[in-house]
Amino acid sequence: FVPWQEANVHVLSHTLHYGLGVFEGIRCYAGEHGRSAIFRLREHTDRLFASAHIVGIRIPFSKDEIDSACIETVRINRLRECYIRPIVFLGEGEMGLAAVSNPVRVAVIAWPWGAYLGEDGVRHGIRVKTSSFQRFHVNTLMSKGKVVGHYVNSILASIEARRSGYDEALMLDTDGF
């Protein structure tokens, strides 16, 4: 565990340059008697491992160790409600598309984060624009995995929506669904 301001990643981390990494986004809610409740932690950890498997990354920790790290990160930071982000990425070393010898790094981050589109959006709804960007086809980019680089497409769609005065983008797949 390192303090927030001391956390860092090497500038030659493979994932920073090429986008090959996997992550999860897990909500933790304030429970009864001052306790926190992490929503479906094991299911998220299972999906993290499944995503890593899809892109050929071997996570150097067990599922139980990842679960424990998530729980301990919330506890150490004294968070009752938060967002937890376990991320698995390829570290510094060889560069190039087929780098396979780089160390696999794992981090778990937790921070307070309210409603994704704000409390006002929860109360009053949001404006959604159908994006001109399409979701990737399942056979083109292993889209079943929650992979770091896949989110560039979603970022572009979100920016497009916000620049057009909307709160969020709706992306259709290549078949129009």
Side-chain angles (χ1 to χ4, degrees):
F1 293 94
V2 297
W4 183 273
Q5 63 276 11
E6 293 177 25
N8 61 65
V9 175
H10 196 281
V11 295
L12 282 179
S13 290
H14 192 273
T15 300
L16 177 63
H17 292 266
Y18 299 104
L20 186 62
V22 297
F23 69 96
E24 273 300 318
I26 310 168
R27 286 289 184 169
C28 177
Y29 299 99
E32 295 181 5
H33 311 295
R35 298 178 60 112
S36 296
I38 300 175
F39 183 72
R40 295 190 171 190
L41 177 57
R42 181 42 63 108
E43 288 90 340
H44 281 94
T45 301
D46 286 344
R47 187 169 66 173
L48 179 73
F49 275 75
S51 293
H53 176 76
I54 285 170
V55 296
I57 296 174
R58 187 190 159 282
I59 298 176
F61 298 100
S62 70
K63 290 179 182 182
D64 287 339
E65 288 173 312
I66 298 296
D67 285 350
S68 294
C70 290
I71 293 165
E72 189 65 7
T73 300
V74 172
R75 188 191 70 72
I76 283 177
N77 286 286
R78 297 185 181 107
L79 297 168
R80 291 202 57 226
E81 288 189 315
C82 64
Y83 185 82
I84 306 164
R85 169 65 52 91
I87 185 167
V88 179
F89 59 98
L90 302 180
E92 67 289 341
E94 184 181 350
M95 294 300 283
L97 298 179
V100 295
S101 63
N102 295 28
V104 175
R105 306 282 189 212
V106 179
V108 175
I109 311 102
W111 68 92
W113 193 10
Y116 179 66
L117 293 172
E119 294 300 327
D120 195 51
V122 172
R123 281 193 294 278
H124 305 291
I126 61 167
R127 290 175 31 91
V128 177
K129 176 188 187 324
T130 301
S131 180
S132 64
F133 293 91
Q134 291 182 320
R135 288 186 51 89
F136 298 115
H137 187 273
V138 69
N139 290 334
T140 62
L141 203 56
M142 305 301 283
S143 62
K144 296 291 183 188
K146 200 166 173 86
V147 180
V148 174
H150 291 182
Y151 281 76
V152 171
N153 197 28
S154 298
I155 291 166
L156 295 173
S158 183
I159 290 170
E160 174 192 49
R162 291 180 188 208
R163 286 184 177 158
S164 298
Y166 295 86
D167 299 304
E168 186 61 278
L170 174 68
M171 295 176 70
L172 304 179
D173 67 13
T174 54
D175 295 318
F177 294 102

